[in-house]
Amino acid sequence: MKNWILPLFLAVLYSCNTESQNKFIINGKTDRIGDAILLKIDPSINQIDTTSIKNGMFKFEKKIKEEELYRVKFHDGSSFDLLANMGEKINIDFQGDGLLITGSEGSQKIVELDNMLFELIHFKDSITQELQTMSKNENYEAILTKKQNEFFEKLELHRAFLKDFIEKNKESKVTLIALFQTYNSSSPVLSIDEDLEDFEKVLDNLKVRFPESNHITLLNDQITKLKPLANGQIAPNFTLPDVNKKPLSLSSLKGKVVLIDFWASWCRPCRIANPKLVELHKKYSKNGFEILSVSLDGTQRQQDPKKEWIQAINQDNITDFKHVSELKGWNTSVRDLYNLNSIPHTILLDKEGKIVGKNIRGDNLEMKIKKLVNDEG
C-alpha cells in the first residue's frame, strides 16, 4: 500500500505546479472605487473580466497559454496596460496618477515605453502652448519653423529608441506596444510606410514565438495594405485635374525628382511652408526637380474652393509648381491611396518614381533633393 503513496503525491504536486505555471495573478491596490475591469487586448476576441474593489484592493486570476496583453480599466476612465506571463504574481499600486507594477517584467517594459512617450507628448504640448502665445508675433513664421524642427529632432530620437527597443525585445509581444505608439490621435511614431522593416521584424518574430496569436492576422493585413507606400516602393500613380481641368498624371513626371505636396489654401502651416518650397523649386528645377502640388481645397466650409485655391497659388507665388485638385476636400481619391491623415504632407520621389522620404523638412529636404538631382543613376 505504501508503494502508491509517493507516485500519488508526485502526481498531485505536478498537477498543482502545472496549474500555477499556466496562470497569472494580479493583486491590486488603488484609490479608485467601484469595479476593476480586465480587458484582453486582442483584435479578434472580446474577453472582459470584472471584479469589485473592496477596501481599495482587487484581484484577478487568469489561465493563459502564452504571454498576453491586457488593459486594466476603472469607472473613472483611467487605465493602464499589462503584459502578463505564465506563473507571474503581479502586484499593482495605482494611486492618483502614480503607478507601480512589480512581478511582471513585460508590464514594467510597457511602463518604460509609456514614460518615454509621455516625455515626447509633453515636449510637443509645451511647444504648442508657447506658439499660441506668439501667434501675433511678427516673427511667428520663423519661430514656428524653428519649433517644428525642434520637435522633429525630438521625434527622431524617440523613433530611434523604439527601434532599439524592438530589437532588444523581439521575442516578446511588448514590441506590439512599441510598434503602435502615437503622439496624438492620428500621428503614429512608427509607420509601415516609413518603418516597414520594423513592422515585418515584429510580424516574423510573432509567427515564430506565438503562431496562434490573433495579432498576426491583423498585423499581416496592415502590412499588406500599406506596403505600397513604404520607402523604396514605386509611388502609386494617380491622375487629377489641373487648374484648367486638364488631367495630369504622376507617372508623366517620371525621370524627374518629384516632391508631392499635399496642402490646402485654408491650411496655415501649409502656407507657411510654401516660401521654402518656392526657394527649393527655383534652385533645383533646372536640374530636374518638380513639385506636384495636390490641393485638398473643397471642404464644406469653403464657399468658392476653386477661387480660394487659385488665390493661394498666386499669393504664395507657387505658380511654377504643377497643381492638381478634385476640389473635394478630404474626400479626394488620393486620400486612401496615400493613407493621408493630415496636411501638410510631403512625399519625395526619386527619378524612377520610388518613394525615398516623407515629411522631410528644412536643410534635410534640400540635402536630399540635391543628392537626388545629381544622381545620374
Side-chain angles (χ1 to χ4, degrees), residues 343-355:
I343 55 174
H345 184 77
T346 58
I347 301 176
L348 186 62
L349 312 181
D350 66 11
K351 295 175 184 178
E352 296 180 356
K354 293 181 180 179
I355 299 171

Side-chain angles (χ1 to χ4, degrees), residues 64-83:
I64 52 175
K65 297 179 180 179
E66 60 189 38
E67 66 172 15
E68 297 286 3
L69 290 162
Y70 289 90
R71 178 162 296 147
V72 182
K73 302 176 65 176
F74 302 89
H75 289 306
D76 66 352
S78 59
S79 66
F80 55 85
D81 293 341
L82 298 173
L83 179 59

Side-chain angles (χ1 to χ4, degrees), residues 108-170:
Q108 289 169 337
K109 289 180 178 179
I110 291 178
V111 172
E112 178 188 1
L113 286 170
D114 289 344
N115 288 341
M116 294 296 289
L117 180 62
F118 176 79
E119 287 185 18
L120 177 69
I121 294 173
H122 178 72
F123 185 77
K124 176 182 71 71
D125 291 344
S126 65
I127 288 178
T128 300
Q129 292 173 6
E130 186 177 355
L131 287 172
Q132 288 174 346
T133 65
M134 298 181 177
S135 59
K136 297 182 180 180
N137 190 303
E138 60 181 12
N139 297 318
Y140 179 78
E141 293 184 9
I143 295 171
L144 175 62
T145 300
K146 180 177 181 294
K147 293 299 180 182
Q148 284 180 331
N149 288 336
E150 288 178 4
F151 172 72
F152 285 114
E153 288 176 5
K154 186 79 169 178
L155 179 60
E156 281 304 310
L157 289 174
H158 189 67
R159 283 167 49 81
F161 161 74
L162 290 182
K163 289 171 179 287
D164 182 62
F165 182 94
I166 288 170
E167 178 61 30
K168 290 178 177 177
N169 297 279
K170 55 188 176 184

Side-chain angles (χ1 to χ4, degrees), residues 8-21:
L8 180 62
F9 172 76
L10 292 174
V12 172
L13 181 62
Y14 175 79
S15 175
C16 291
N17 286 338
T18 302
E19 184 177 350
S20 175
Q21 291 173 355

Side-chain angles (χ1 to χ4, degrees), residues 209-226:
R209 294 278 298 174
F210 310 104
E212 297 181 7
S213 173
N214 293 323
H215 293 283
I216 292 174
T217 301
L218 178 64
L219 187 54
N220 187 69
D221 289 347
Q222 290 181 324
I223 291 174
T224 300
K225 177 183 177 181
L226 298 176

